[in-house]
Amino acid sequence: MLRTRFRRLAAAAAVAVIGLGALTACGAGDDDEATSGPAKLRFLSLAWQKESLQVNKDLVAKWNAEHPDIQVEYVQGDWNSVHDQLLTSFEGGDAPDIVHYEASAIGEFSKQGYLADLSDLVSDDLKGQIDKGIWDTATVDGKVTGVPFLLESQVVIANKKLLDAAGVAVPPADGGWTWDEFQANAQKLTKPGQYGAAWALKSPTNRVLNLALNYDGKFFYGDGGRTEVKVGDAEKEIPKRIHDMLYTAKSASPEALGMSGADTLPGFFGGKYAMLPGSVSLRQQMVEQAPAGFEWVTLPPVKGLSTKQAANPQTLSISEDSKHKKQAAQFLEYFLNPTNMAALAKGDWLVPTGKQANEELVKLTAGKQGWDVAADSAADLTVAPFQQADGYPEWKTKYATPALQQYFANKITLDQLATQLVDGGKQVLR
Amino acid sequence: MFGKPSRTSRTLQYLALAGYLIFLGFPLVWLLSTAFKPPRELVRLHPTLIPDNPTVQNFVQAFTEQELGRAALNSLQVSLASAVLTVLVAMPASYALARFRSKLGTAALGWVLLSQLFPFVLLIIPIFLVLRQVGLANTHAGLVLIYVVWALPFALWMLQGFVRNIPRELEEAASVDGATRVQVLRRVVFPLLAPGLVATALFSFISAWNEFFFALVLIKTPELATLPVALARFVGIEGTARLGPLAAGSLLATLPSLIFFAFMQRRLSSGSLAGAVKG
């Protein structure tokens, strides 16, 4: 009996050792890139929606079929861990050639010298397709660190039947409500068991700072090379209006405060909330998950002094260490041509940065499912001061998010919120 | 010494046990339910436990988009190899630590414990550089090596506890009966250590099966990705997830651990020592 057990253990050990040897063989040699043959590019993509994933894979396959001398390997990453993945890849000297990420995050990598300057690598044609304000979001110290290609804007998704029942007319795509109108309509849509709006504010900072631009609220001010946080009337306007909806007018649901955008959908589909201020990409969930017969409509961004919002486009960058930068740039030109960019934007339900791509997309969709509103919203997206501030991520995590959460939970006053945001800025900004 | 429990107290015990089982099992049941729900049933205001229109579409999507089958096979290979190698290395080391106490052994145990305090992110870049130097970056072998090293400290602590529970008198008695040192180890210590070895193997297997960060950073080739890395791809910006395929994939990911545990759990019973030494 004992002998049998011992034999089994020995056999298991042998299997493990042999297996380990076999496993070594599985992946060995991948680091040694052949000096001859086609250029091999690794493309780390963050596409994750079903349609978007398919478009990405199809475009890569098509490129590979048409360009036997430049072969692209599609590698899918994920948004939650991409920062650590990239950081370790860059530090370890084994980064992908082409990197998909977002404008606000690639600046840090660029400053550390990990990303190539694309100024001379991409064509004037591609440069001309995208507005300067959008290029600015991906430009760090004069270096173009990525090609911005997909934009997200804040719109309002509404339950059409509830709007009709309350006698609230849907505004045209190019003429949204003012904040006063939005608040008044939310009030009209509020009745027992139903709130006019649901503000999903689990992560409130980006959202508040984006919308603050409606009233020219900048939060981050440069002063002789030093950046500081200031919270004046312009910065206070958006938090105050949301707070009023929650606790004075009671036209926004307090229970949605701890939710992320998608968490509000059951309540929205159930008729509990009439309007969801949220990203244009929420439209996808409407199409996929709304119950049969549910009518929804996309309302344009709400207007303060303007409808400006911060643009934080998704970007494609090229690693500084890539041995094939020119070939990578060729792939980017192909991948982001107007037709392909429109297809990528459609797959992710986002707005393409390219003007021609935007027009093609509206034509392709006949403006339905909110594509007309999405296209118009791109005009008011611009670089915001907080996106250029070095200490912003730390300020956001340590100070802004907790302070805003407390304010929206009615635990502190607006002045206390302002003090905490300013004091936090003094701790982390240089 | 203790009286027979009354019917009421027995009923209460069963009720408490049933409540505990429901508490433990509910996430798994909910996962099962979610995995079979079509998209429109996932975001209802009043969700149902049993899907109205059950579908296997989530499984189809999970497998076709992310090649979960291959990822699961990769995870299985890596986890089994890690479990076996961890046990093989930990067994003699833990015996030596438990039986031959010395200052060096105590210091080694202290170091083993201390090594657990280093955060992953601090180690990952040096580990990556070393593995690349020896040609093991982007290989399952490299990943197994890391998992074995990572699991060893806890495995050593766990196993040396099991070794200490084996009475020395049994080994001495076997020696007196003429058994050689190797025979004592093979015929007395090893069988009695079996539950400990099973527990150690389980621990190593499950920790390797669930590990995400090292697999994410060390493996570059899509074909070599492990299951947790493949599953993470169903989660998008700011925690938004594609719930259906994610639930389907996660359900499949829990099965091997459950099956492995079901096969091994009998071995965990440590009743084999009962009556071995008479006082």
Side-chain angles (χ1 to χ4, degrees), chain A residues 279-360:
Chain A
S279 157
V280 280
S281 61
L282 257 184
R283 293 170 302 140
Q284 177 175 40
Q285 271 96 332
M286 299 298 141
V287 172
E288 278 191 0
Q289 298 178 325
F294 185 89
E295 287 182 51
W296 58 276
V297 61
T298 309
L299 311 182
V302 182
K303 188 179 177 182
L305 299 174
S306 70
T307 48
K308 273 187 187 166
Q309 292 177 26
N312 181 22
Q314 293 183 26
T315 52
L316 290 176
S317 306
I318 297 176
S319 297
E320 183 61 55
D321 283 347
S322 171
K323 291 172 189 151
H324 307 290
K325 292 196 193 72
K326 277 186 185 165
Q327 290 90 334
Q330 280 178 46
F331 173 73
L332 289 192
E333 292 278 345
Y334 165 84
F335 196 70
L336 300 179
N337 73 36
T339 307
N340 292 344
M341 195 193 277
L344 289 165
K346 188 168 181 287
D348 261 329
W349 291 79
L350 294 172
V351 188
T353 54
K355 284 172 261 185
Q356 198 183 329
N358 208 351
E359 285 163 16
E360 280 190 22

Side-chain angles (χ1 to χ4, degrees), chain B:
Chain B
M1 191 167 168
F2 296 104
K4 200 177 174 185
S6 69
R7 179 173 286 198
T8 315
S9 90
R10 191 169 285 269
T11 308
L12 285 174
Q13 279 175 13
Y14 280 128
L15 278 176
L17 187 64
Y20 186 59
L21 284 177
I22 290 169
F23 176 74
L24 285 182
F26 186 75
L28 195 62
V29 173
W30 194 251
L31 188 68
L32 185 72
S33 160
T34 307
F36 287 98
K37 280 182 178 173
R40 292 185 200 287
E41 288 189 38
L42 291 172
V43 287
R44 281 184 175 172
L45 189 56
H46 304 292
T48 54
L49 186 61
I50 298 169
D52 290 342
N53 301 293
T55 175
V56 291
Q57 199 54 36
N58 293 325
F59 291 90
V60 174
Q61 273 185 29
F63 272 89
T64 52
E65 285 174 27
Q66 296 304 338
E67 301 183 69
L68 287 190
R70 188 173 57 196
L73 194 63
N74 288 339
S75 276
L76 196 64
Q77 284 180 331
V78 168
S79 306
L80 279 175
S82 302
V84 173
L85 284 175
T86 303
V87 168
L88 283 181
V89 178
M91 189 170 55
S94 58
Y95 183 81
L97 282 171
R99 286 288 187 253
F100 309 111
R101 302 307 298 267
S102 66
K103 281 183 182 169
L104 188 66
T106 311
L109 270 179
W111 171 246
V112 157
L113 196 64
L114 197 68
S115 68
Q116 294 291 284
L117 301 177
F118 295 111
F120 275 25
V121 282
L122 197 73
L123 301 172
I124 190 74
I125 294 169
I127 285 175
F128 179 75
L129 291 173
V130 170
L131 285 181
R132 206 166 63 145
Q133 201 66 32
V134 296
L136 288 179
N138 195 28
T139 65
H140 284 166
L143 204 55
V144 169
L145 190 66
I146 298 302
Y147 289 167
V148 171
V149 172
W150 203 256
L152 261 179
F154 188 76
L156 278 175
W157 271 93
M158 198 159 77
L159 262 185
Q160 61 128 7
F162 277 96
V163 174
R164 281 210 197 123
N165 280 341
I166 299 171
R168 276 177 189 271
E169 292 86 339
L170 285 178
E171 293 179 50
E172 287 162 4
S175 297
V176 169
D177 288 344
T180 64
R181 181 109 209 155
V182 174
Q183 283 173 326
V184 169
L185 288 174
R186 259 177 52 194
R187 296 187 175 180
V188 178
V189 177
F190 178 67
L192 295 176
L193 201 53
L197 296 175
V198 169
T200 308
L202 263 177
F203 159 76
S204 317
F205 179 88
I206 290 171
S207 67
W209 181 262
N210 292 331
E211 203 284 326
F212 171 74
F213 191 58
F214 283 123
L216 174 80
V217 173
L218 296 177
I219 300 295
K220 310 283 178 188
T221 309
E223 289 76 22
L224 298 179
T226 57
L227 200 52
V229 175
L231 284 176
R233 294 170 185 160
F234 292 112
V235 181
I237 302 173
E238 290 185 6
T240 317
R242 293 177 57 204
L243 277 182
L246 179 62
S250 302
L251 184 67
L252 291 169
T254 57
L255 290 181
S257 291
L258 287 178
I259 293 167
F260 194 63
F261 191 81
F263 272 110
M264 302 288 254
Q265 59 89 21
R266 265 190 323 121
R267 302 268 172 186
L268 281 170
S269 62
S270 51
S272 53
L273 281 178
V277 183
K278 290 182 181 172

